[in-house]
Amino acid sequence: MAASLRKPTLTSCSSSAAETDDEGVRGTCEDASICKRFAVSIGYWDDPYIQHLVRLSKERKAPEINRGYFARVHGISQLIKAFLRKTECHCQIINLGAGMDTTFWTLKDQGLLPRKYFEVDFPTIVTRKLHCIKCKPVLSKPIVELHSEGTLQIDGHMLDSKRYAIIGADLRDIPELEEKLKKCNMSTQLPTLLITECVLVYMSPEQSANLIKWAASSFGTAMFVNYEQVNMGDRFGHIMIENLRRRQCDLAGVETCKSLESQKERLLSNGWEAASAVDMMELYGQLPRAEVSRIESLEFLDEMELLEQLMQHYCLCWATKGGSELGLKEITYSSVQGSG
């Protein structure tokens, strides 16, 4: 149904047995959003939009958690900007499992918007984000300003505009995912960047392989960025797994998170031509020294060893297909280091 963004009609979201089973996974979206909001509130990075989507926790987050999120946000941001510059923004971005991510709005402010930015997540998460967008002019105004074609397409768990779309879908149901993206004018011809952050690990290896394979086969020129756990076979990894299990959250795809090599192999064996991976401690060591000094002065870290353990159990992976004329294979997380 079509409705005005200014006079929204929110339909109730139907629940299903599958969604009930995924409650623990949806809870991790809330946790990550609250951690990012807290880190922003004490100055780790600038994000004027997250406050309109996520509440500020009264509970102080540990310094190693804040530094971990800083490295995560910085690394992914560098890869996104590198892809946008290689393609001169003549591309599309599909954020799979986007949660309360604010990248669309920050890219607009930086003059780096792709042709279209898509977000996909569970229908219940999308419904909540849509409610925030419709209630907060600071979020809705940029979407409306860029939409020159009359009424926006919007319902309880979907919004489609000229430059931004948000879709409620299950990433394990590829036919449904593809149908909904195409309905929102996803192009298979444009260079495409796909992003997953702590998403694939909650799927079975077969389900994540299907998603990665679909992404590789759907676009001639593409890049896939994945942030998630790694080195999960050691004692620290087992503790992480048990902590999540106690919260009814099972890491169904943890066997693919054994090593950087297993992470790259999953991408290469499912249609991608080149793949790279780095653990977050290595990435942290490559951050601009001025930025590291700035964030390390924000709060005292008692045990550097704990930060190292945590960062060695998360990684950033990226893979490319086609795009040799654009130089996509040259992209790394430090491609645009120091450029914002």
Side-chain angles (χ1 to χ4, degrees):
M1 74 184 245
S4 164
L5 191 66
R6 300 187 192 285
K7 294 182 180 178
T9 303
L10 261 177
T11 58
S12 60
C13 219
S14 61
S15 61
S16 65
E19 277 196 41
T20 305
D21 292 343
D22 292 328
E23 197 170 328
V25 178
R26 291 200 298 274
T28 65
C29 166
E30 178 81 357
D31 292 346
S33 301
I34 288 171
C35 287
K36 286 182 179 180
R37 171 83 166 90
F38 182 81
V40 167
S41 76
I42 58 174
Y44 273 85
W45 69 92
D46 184 40
D47 184 345
Y49 300 102
I50 196 167
Q51 63 185 307
H52 301 291
L53 290 163
V54 184
R55 65 183 171 85
L56 182 58
S57 172
K58 293 176 183 174
E59 178 192 345
R60 189 171 187 88
K61 304 301 176 187
E64 62 271 13
I65 299 293
N66 297 326
R67 291 191 194 179
Y69 273 97
F70 173 83
R72 169 180 174 173
V73 169
H74 185 93
I76 292 167
S77 173
Q78 297 305 304
L79 290 174
I80 291 172
K81 288 179 183 176
F83 184 84
L84 287 166
R85 287 178 176 144
K86 291 285 189 186
T87 60
E88 297 180 343
C89 295
H90 181 73
C91 63
Q92 62 192 355
I93 295 177
I94 305 174
N95 192 328
L96 300 166
M100 298 295 126
D101 190 76
T102 60
T103 301
F104 166 78
W105 290 273
T106 55
L107 289 178
K108 182 183 183 295
D109 287 349
Q110 293 163 357
L112 284 171
L113 266 190
R115 286 287 189 88
K116 191 155 183 176
Y117 192 99
F118 299 84
E119 293 183 348
V120 184
D121 214 316
F122 284 117
T124 49
I125 290 173
V126 167
T127 297
R128 183 180 143 209
K129 191 168 188 177
L130 270 176
H131 180 71
C132 293
I133 291 170
K134 289 184 282 193
C135 292
K136 307 284 177 70
V138 70
L139 299 175
S140 60
K141 194 178 174 187
I143 296 169
V144 173
E145 283 175 349
L146 291 164
H147 188 74
S148 56
E149 297 163 9
T151 309
L152 292 164
Q153 293 297 312
I154 185 167
D155 64 23
H157 43 262
M158 186 276 286
L159 178 152
D160 185 31
S161 70
K162 188 172 183 180
R163 304 292 291 277
Y164 173 79
I166 181 168
I167 297 159
D170 189 329
L171 299 176
R172 295 163 298 194
D173 185 341
I174 302 295
E176 179 204 29
L177 172 66
E178 185 169 47
E179 180 190 350
K180 289 184 174 182
L181 283 166
K182 285 185 174 175
K183 190 177 176 184
C184 292
N185 298 308
M186 176 191 78
S187 168
T188 56
Q189 305 305 309
L190 277 176
T192 301
L193 171 62
L194 302 107
I195 303 165
T196 54
E197 293 184 56
C198 291
V199 168
L200 303 180
V201 71
Y202 297 112
M203 302 177 176
S204 70
E206 184 185 8
Q207 289 164 342
S208 69
N210 287 340
L211 183 64
I212 292 166
K213 198 177 293 179
W214 167 80
S217 63
S218 296
F219 311 100
T221 299
M223 180 171 171
F224 196 105
V225 172
N226 179 40
Y227 171 89
E228 70 180 352
Q229 291 88 342
V230 74
N231 297 324
M232 295 298 280
D234 65 16
R235 185 171 171 273
F236 192 86
H238 290 148
I239 291 169
M240 289 169 67
I241 292 166
E242 284 308 311
N243 285 342
L244 282 162
R245 276 193 186 136
R246 278 199 288 272
R247 296 170 53 205
Q248 283 75 54
C249 192
D250 190 37
L251 298 182
V254 74
E255 69 181 68
T256 316
C257 302
K258 286 177 184 169
S259 65
L260 295 176
E261 286 306 313
S262 66
Q263 288 281 8
K264 288 190 287 186
E265 178 54 32
R266 173 170 56 179
L267 293 161
L268 293 170
S269 63
N270 286 294
W272 295 85
E273 295 168 1
S276 302
V278 60
D279 76 50
M280 297 309 289
M281 197 61 218
E282 183 179 337
L283 187 148
Y284 190 79
Q286 297 294 321
L287 291 173
R289 291 298 91 197
E291 271 295 86
V292 172
S293 297
R294 182 187 67 78
I295 65 161
E296 291 185 349
S297 70
L298 292 173
E299 52 185 346
F300 177 69
L301 176 64
D302 193 30
E303 289 187 52
M304 190 65 184
E305 186 184 348
L306 188 54
L307 175 71
E308 289 172 358
Q309 276 190 313
L310 192 63
M311 300 276 242
Q312 284 163 1
H313 286 82
Y314 284 91
C315 66
L316 190 57
C317 314
W318 61 100
T320 58
K321 181 197 170 207
S324 57
E325 74 286 356
L326 299 172
L328 292 191
K329 286 183 182 176
E330 300 160 15
I331 291 177
T332 75
Y333 62 88
S334 58
S335 296
V336 285
Q337 209 69 276
S339 59

